[in-house]
Amino acid sequence: MEHIITPKVEFVKLLNRYHEKKSALGTLYLTATHLIYVEQINDTRSETWVLHHHITSIEKLPLTASGCPLLIRCKTFQVLHLLFQREKDCQDVYLSLLRLSQPVKEEELYAFLYNPHQNEEERRQGWEFIDVANDFSRMGLSNEYWEISHLNKNYEICSTYPSVLGLPKNASVAIVTGSAKFRSRGRLPALSYYHKDTKAAICRCSQPLSGLTSRCVEDEQMLQAISQANPNCPFIYVVDTRPKLNAMANRAAGKGYENEDNYSNIRFQFQGIENIHVMRNSLQKLLEVCSMKSPSMSDYLTGLENSGWLRHIKSVMDAGMFLAKAVYEERASVLVHCSDGWDRTAQVCSLACILLDPYYRTIKGLMVLIEKEWISFGHKFSHRCGHLDTDPKEVSPVFTQFLECVWQLSEQFPSVFEFNERYLIEIHNQVYACQYGNFIGNCQKERLEMRLHEKTFSLWPHLLKNQDLYRNPLYRRSLECTFLRPSTLPLHFKFWCGMYNHYDRGMHPKQSVLDKLLSFTQKKVEGEQTMTELQRQLAVADGVLPDPSGPINTPAEQDSPIENTPTATVVQSNGSCAPLINGDAEEAGPGVEKCNEKEGAEPAAPEHDLTSSKDKPVSVETEHSKEEVQESS
Amino acid sequence: MELSEHIKTANVEDVTLKRPFHPALRGTLCVTSHHLLFSDRKDEASWQLLILLRNIDAIEKRAVGSSGTITIKCKDLLVLQLEIPGMEECLNIASSIEALSSLESVTEMYPFFYRPSHLTLQGPWGLSSMEQYYKQTERLWDRWRVSTVNSDYSVCPSYPSAVIVPREVADDMLIRSARFRQGGRFPVLSYCHHRNGMVIMRSSQPLTGANKKRCKEDELLLQAVIDGSELGYVIDLRSAQQAQQARMTGGGFESKSCYSHWKRIHRHHERGKVVQESLIKLVEACSDPSHSVDRWLSKLENSKWLSHVHSALSTAGLVVECVERDGHSVLVHGSEGTDNTLLVSSLAQLILDPASRTVTGFLCLLEREWIQAGHPFQQRCAHSAYSHARLKQECPSFLLLLDCVWQVWRQFPLALEFSEALLLRLAQEAYASNYGTFLCNSEQERCAAGVKENTHCLLQSLLKPDIEEQYLNPLYEPTDLAIWPSVHPQSLQLWTGLFLRWTEYAQNMVEAREEVWSIVKEHRERAGPDQTNNTLSTHCETLTPFENLMDELTIL
């Protein structure tokens, strides 16, 4: 609270990036958690909520004749261009936001304040909802070849690994610990995915400390054990996802890659995915392209090419494809690493899982996959997302790239994913929002020490509760046994406008096939529910079933009352063309800028509400979509 | 010379056919006057591929030992390979294809021989004449009339016999105006907006020349168009500099001093050869097997195809802005007024006019604005993207229109009654067809060749007896509003349906489309017949079975 110098500034202009004329005049509020911009045009009040954690940079631009401009960029790729009348207000807001957007301690993160009205039992259930161990059993572990090991239960072998690991049965404790010592940060080869049909496995680790000449018998035995765990193939692939040059440079520092001469029956392969710094710079360039004012087609395409972004997306996809093909077509096990094995390795393993196993293409399956390959295997979410004010060189859009790869796949295969684009974007927003505890911290050990399960809530139940929003109506379960074989020709890699220009509604299609089909399929579900209810009543009337007051067979879970607020339905009818009368070629009318999904909607907060929420932010019933543009009529 | 004289080898056995994403097949190859027929050798359930020779854009021959390979590149972008045993047979087949795929005489072309049992040659040809259009459009009756000054095509050889002009302008004025316009294409009505009566006119450039010639009648004609209102806009589809330069070769533009109530806006559009080369480059880029994203993006940029799409939609948006928002009439022209002019005027109508977004309305729009308006289809579509022949007058203006329509459809997926499949079918038919619709360059030529008497009309057959389900948009919801597409580069995409038509990707899209249909049908059944009548077009009630798009198009 002490960081908010001015909680309210009036007569602030919100500049429209593409249309000076369409700029809005309104009031800016700062709360403990959000920046809120309220615009009042006649009877229509529209609100823009931006979570402080989503703000990535605040820039004071040179003074102009019309006022003091402030440029706010968000991790969700939203850009706010504000214009203040008085320099002092601008400076105050600038200083406040600078502090608010860069929390120093974990405890300052939103998740430690946020309470979605759950009791302790619900909180516990929420955290237990996704259990990686269950996924091991789903794959068929333990079995003849693989076992679930608790060797790392105190994080002594590897501090950034999960406590539960899948390891080859014939790898002794000595081999496991010996191999861990030979791997960067102790990240030993462990099971990522076991493919039941081919008995081939995908394992992941970090680079070996091979330097120029070192070798380690246990590590060699470990790879041997992985190879022996697959009776269908005499060799394993060892995939180094880095460009060869990077890997060779690491040898000089005592790290490096596997020497084929020292390991029996490995086939070694580089994949050429660039490092986090290259990716960060590439995204920067991409975002510059996204915010060009009125680029020609050539400017845009040249900018897109020069950013290199799609080239990097393709390199991740190519590597994922290589893994999946090795497993599916050659029945070969694969060991994957990069440098530390928590960025590129996570991308590639999770992508291969999606290509191989239809389960990960479902709404719940993707949660499991993220929990397994990213959260528990120690992708450094806190560092990569810059949750806290730390080294900016650690920040990199590694997870964003993974989500984009999934999106690229969904564009090639419109009916194989249970979820739609909004699900991916929502997950992306939540990763950066720190509203739930899932993506706080860099590894399991750290999360345990922060006692996140006691102090914060899990995102997954919240997403599941809203899964109707995220469904893909074209999803065909019958296709689910197929191995996904995407084309990796360059022309299949498209710019993801829905993500990087998400807030530029004017660029998006003005009518949504998704909404239309969802409304159809939703009616079907409702119809079926009514039918079940009628049949039940009939059965009760006939005396087949006991008294209706009993808790039997209530029709499928109903949405909580919070979500049934009338505003939600108003916004759903978004596909209308109403704004098009006064739309123009550059930008759609105001109505189109409404947010697509909104739940947990509360009545537009009057001023006194906001000030009171300043004092007790926890009481504000904010759900995740607060940070999106809201509009109430 | 009889067509059959071009055929030295009519039949070859043991030919291997390779198609993208299909296993190779062995069978018999036949060449007829108009077709290439391949049938596999199985006795029962034999599979046949019938290709119209007109559809073949280019062939490449290669000798491998004693046998030869012919690569066939079709105008619809399909690429096939035939392995023919026997060098002589291979060369014979190749020379037959070369000769028969590029026939010059219209009456030798296949539409003059196509006689399917379900169609008859009796009855009217085409969907609607200009007179009928006038009769159906009540808002025109007050201020506009149908003129038959061109009934013998002497005033303007590329115009239809009847055109719509301001009521108060007499035929002799039209004749004078025609003499002042390139190719005689004097200003005629293209569209009258249902909301405010403002019109879109189109013409060719005025022949002011270096001496700034004037034509009183032409000025009066345009004056009559705006009928006392303050202002009209001339949208000149050339840059100001190009328009200036045109004066040196006898062309020109409407100067402010002579047309005081008309404001001129210049928008540069590429034309002719440049656009054709864009298509060639784009198709080449799409079949580039290299795996570099940078190379692809640079080729895509370099082809400039999307830039043309961008310009066409932007200018159409500008026309719509003038007509709908500012309430002014517009005259559109470039040089000849047969390509970009039609592109812009028809796109503007699609954006403005809900009637042109139904299947029938859209086909009528194409008939009026492209076929009757004298887009020289035969010259423009003589070759597509693969031909090595020296370019003459080829230009994919019509393909560009279809691409722009697809972009509009992508941004307003509920607003058009027709589907992408219809656009693909039209793209194919414009280049090679069983029907006479896209033959010749003008109505005059079609009359002279007897097209109307001796061929069937594609547009009619698309609608009869019922439009096929695959050409309908299951999600269609009519709207009266203008559908204004975004022209941000991020909003425009490569038309994968066309350019990646013969890839596996297209198959995935077909499946997705089927799924949309099944959801919609299920919904309709639940909603009951009442609701169906309200929300859906009448076409949908008698649905013919869904047929696979690709099979429909390749296999007879």
Side-chain angles (χ1 to χ4, degrees), chain A residues 128-336:
Chain A
E128 282 169 5
F129 174 63
I130 300 290
D131 184 357
V132 176
N134 284 345
D135 200 45
F136 276 139
S137 7
R138 198 188 57 85
M139 292 180 214
L141 256 58
S142 300
N143 61 21
E144 205 183 333
Y145 307 104
W146 293 89
E147 65 182 5
I148 296 169
S149 156
H150 295 275
L151 279 177
N152 197 37
K153 69 168 183 281
N154 297 320
Y155 307 103
E156 280 161 359
I157 298 179
C158 175
S159 62
T160 57
Y161 260 15
S163 57
V164 175
L165 295 174
L167 294 173
K169 230 176 196 160
N170 55 357
S172 68
V173 176
I175 291 177
V176 171
T177 48
S179 170
K181 285 190 187 113
F182 189 63
R183 293 277 164 182
S184 184
R185 297 172 202 272
R187 294 174 68 91
L188 69 147
L191 185 76
S192 155
Y193 181 70
Y194 176 73
H195 193 251
K196 249 191 271 186
D197 299 342
T198 59
K199 296 194 167 64
I202 297 175
C203 297
R204 52 183 290 176
C205 60
S206 62
Q207 63 184 338
L209 304 175
S210 52
L212 297 170
T213 51
S214 309
R215 55 190 287 188
C216 164
V217 180
E218 289 89 349
D219 194 61
E220 289 159 24
Q221 286 170 333
M222 185 69 188
L223 267 62
Q224 185 73 26
I226 292 170
S227 182
Q228 281 161 358
N230 178 2
N232 287 328
C233 184
F235 64 90
I236 64 168
Y237 280 107
V238 176
V239 174
D240 188 330
T241 56
R242 298 169 293 183
K244 187 172 182 184
L245 215 62
N246 301 20
M248 284 171 61
N250 266 298
R251 285 175 65 184
K255 299 162 189 172
Y257 53 93
E258 290 80 359
N259 182 342
E260 263 179 300
D261 299 337
N262 298 342
Y263 294 84
S264 50
N265 301 321
I266 68 165
R267 293 193 185 174
F268 188 82
Q269 185 87 28
F270 287 112
Q271 280 295 332
I273 304 175
E274 298 288 351
N275 64 26
I276 57 167
H277 312 294
V278 174
M279 300 307 191
R280 182 177 55 245
N281 293 334
S282 174
L283 179 64
Q284 185 57 42
K285 285 189 195 154
L286 181 79
L287 294 178
E288 279 164 24
V289 175
C290 293
S291 58
M292 285 197 282
K293 217 162 177 190
S294 48
S296 71
M297 189 51 89
S298 291
D299 294 341
Y300 163 71
L301 289 172
T302 310
L304 193 58
E305 180 194 341
N306 291 340
S307 77
W309 182 255
L310 290 175
R311 182 176 73 225
H312 300 311
I313 295 294
K314 179 171 147 58
S315 68
V316 175
M317 191 80 98
D318 280 335
M321 194 62 193
F322 179 87
L323 260 56
K325 266 182 159 167
V327 168
Y328 191 83
E329 287 175 354
E330 295 187 66
R331 305 168 147 251
S333 291
V334 190
L335 176 68
V336 193

Side-chain angles (χ1 to χ4, degrees), chain A residues 298 305 311 314 411-412 473 476 491 501 506-507 510-511 513 516 520 524 577 580 583-586, chain B residues 291 294 298 301 304 325 411-412 414-415 477 481 484 486 488 490-491 508 511 515 519 522 526:
Chain A
S298 291
E305 180 194 341
R311 182 176 73 225
K314 179 171 147 58
E411 284 289 292
Q412 274 197 49
R476 278 195 200 179
L491 49 81
N501 282 115
M507 291 181 189
K510 310 293 186 299
Q511 298 175 324
V513 172
K516 190 81 205 158
F520 286 172
K524 177 184 167 191
C577 312
L580 304 170
D584 65 17
E586 295 296 309
Chain B
H291 272 264
D294 292 1
S298 126
E301 190 277 317
K304 301 285 180 216
R325 187 191 288 163
Q411 296 191 29
F412 295 90
L414 316 181
E477 277 178 2
L481 304 168
W484 224 308
S486 155
H488 289 286
Q490 286 98 315
S491 307
N508 296 340
E511 281 166 15
E515 192 61 35
I519 291 173
E522 207 180 315
R526 263 197 322 280

Side-chain angles (χ1 to χ4, degrees), chain B residues 219-238:
Chain B
E219 290 165 25
L220 285 172
L221 169 56
L222 288 186
Q223 192 58 44
V225 169
I226 49 174
D227 186 34
S229 79
E230 287 293 292
L231 190 67
Y233 283 96
V234 177
I235 311 284
D236 193 322
L237 305 174
R238 303 163 295 179

Side-chain angles (χ1 to χ4, degrees), chain A residues 60-97:
Chain A
K60 268 183 77 182
L61 301 178
L63 221 67
T64 68
S66 41
C68 311
L70 193 66
L71 190 64
I72 301 172
R73 294 178 198 277
C74 300
K75 295 169 181 176
T76 53
F77 311 116
Q78 186 171 21
V79 179
L80 295 181
H81 198 157
L82 298 171
L83 198 66
F84 293 86
Q85 285 191 331
R86 296 193 308 157
E87 235 245 274
K88 179 169 184 314
D89 290 336
C90 182
Q91 180 67 14
D92 287 350
V93 170
Y94 174 71
L95 289 176
S96 307
L97 284 179

Side-chain angles (χ1 to χ4, degrees), chain A residues 342-343 374 378-385 394 441-443:
Chain A
W342 52 41
D343 293 312
W374 294 82
H379 174 68
K380 305 200 291 174
F381 277 105
S382 271
H383 285 168
R384 295 293 177 257
C385 304
E394 282 283 318
N442 293 313
C443 61

Side-chain angles (χ1 to χ4, degrees), chain A residues 106 382 441-451:
Chain A
E106 265 99 7
S382 271
N442 293 313
C443 61
Q444 211 175 62
K445 187 172 174 229
E446 240 181 76
R447 288 189 193 95
L448 218 61
E449 284 161 1
M450 278 187 253
R451 293 172 36 225

